[in-house]
Amino acid sequence: MSPETLSQSAYRRLRDDILEGRIAPNTILTERELAERLGISRTPLRSALSVLEREQVIERMANGALLVRRVSVEQLLDIIQLRLILERAAARRAAGFGITPELEAAREAQLRYLDAGAMDFESFWQDDGIFHRAVALAAGLTLLPGLLAEQRAIVRRSTIIRTHTNFADQAREHIAVIDAIASRDAATAAAAMALHFDRMRARTLGWLNKD
């Protein structure tokens, strides 16, 4: 394998370990232990770490050690506000085009959360991403899914969101957006998406208060 391939593999493995919580926030790491853990030399490892530093997943301390950054409350709320602005506009624009097969499939997926009680977080996380991506693509905004994926990756690192197991409210909010888009009601679609993020903010603060 080439150093570039080793670097990419190291990046994915470290990023996944951090996203999935196998490496906890505020963990201090060293290049030596990471190189031993991944079975690679420090050259490709440093390339992988530089990407994670740019993404603000880790930061290098004065002594050279690496700190896994905790996602702050301010970051979570900033992301919610940013996404509200972007996705409200996307929902409004999507309503001008109408329903798509991707949105129809997303709606079907959301229905199973309405009366399901406790559900697996990972399943909902995937379906949530599919919904938001479908709205962006329905709006013809091909760059937006990538931007959303970046923001979701940051949120994914927060341990708080993983404690939730009932997603009926989120599913109803998603369905309301899709139905407004299907009806080609731009104002209602935008309002439904804004309400979704307002409630997301309230839920996030509620989970924080319980933590």
Side-chain angles (χ1 to χ4, degrees):
M1 296 176 70
S2 69
E4 181 180 7
T5 302
L6 284 170
S7 174
Q8 291 172 344
S9 175
Y11 164 76
R12 286 193 298 270
R13 289 172 64 184
L14 288 171
R15 189 167 183 266
D16 287 348
D17 282 348
I18 293 170
L19 289 180
E20 299 300 328
R22 291 186 289 272
I23 300 178
N26 293 334
T27 297
I28 296 176
L29 307 167
T30 66
E31 288 187 1
R32 179 178 178 179
E33 66 181 332
L34 288 175
E36 292 176 352
R37 174 177 180 166
L38 299 173
I40 60 175
S41 69
R42 294 197 188 187
T43 299
L45 174 63
R46 284 171 180 160
S47 179
L49 293 174
S50 69
V51 177
L52 292 170
E53 284 186 78
R54 288 198 299 272
E55 293 180 346
Q56 299 184 3
V57 175
I58 62 174
E59 64 177 288
R60 192 172 292 275
M61 303 171 69
N63 63 0
L66 300 152
L67 176 70
V68 178
R69 298 184 62 174
R70 178 178 293 278
V71 179
S72 69
V73 177
E74 290 76 15
Q75 277 182 294
L76 290 175
L77 297 181
D78 283 351
I79 288 170
I80 290 171
Q81 183 61 30
L82 173 63
R83 290 186 59 190
L84 185 158
I85 294 168
L86 293 174
E87 297 195 59
R88 177 175 57 195
R92 182 185 298 276
R93 179 179 168 88
F97 298 105
I99 197 73
T100 64
E102 291 79 10
L103 282 173
E104 290 177 339
R107 190 182 194 283
E108 286 300 312
Q110 294 298 312
L111 288 173
R112 67 191 181 97
Y113 295 100
L114 294 182
D115 300 306
M119 293 286 286
D120 176 56
F121 167 77
E122 295 297 337
S123 296
F124 181 77
W125 181 257
Q126 293 298 321
D127 287 333
D128 178 77
I130 289 169
F131 160 74
H132 287 283
R133 175 180 171 83
V135 173
L137 293 178
L141 301 172
T142 56
L143 295 180
L144 184 54
L147 295 174
L148 298 182
E150 291 176 2
Q151 300 307 310
R152 279 171 51 83
I154 296 172
V155 174
R156 183 75 175 80
R157 287 163 42 211
S158 171
T159 57
I160 298 165
I161 64 168
R162 302 179 203 173
T163 63
H164 201 55
T165 58
N166 190 305
F167 307 101
D169 289 341
Q170 292 95 314
R172 277 189 286 270
E173 293 158 21
H174 290 167
I175 291 169
V177 173
I178 295 171
D179 288 349
I181 292 172
S183 299
R184 292 180 175 263
D185 187 334
T188 299
M193 186 66 87
L195 180 62
H196 173 50
F197 280 100
D198 285 342
R199 289 179 174 171
M200 187 187 298
R201 182 180 188 278
R203 282 190 291 266
T204 299
L205 292 172
W207 296 335
L208 287 167
N209 289 335
K210 292 178 183 179
D211 191 46

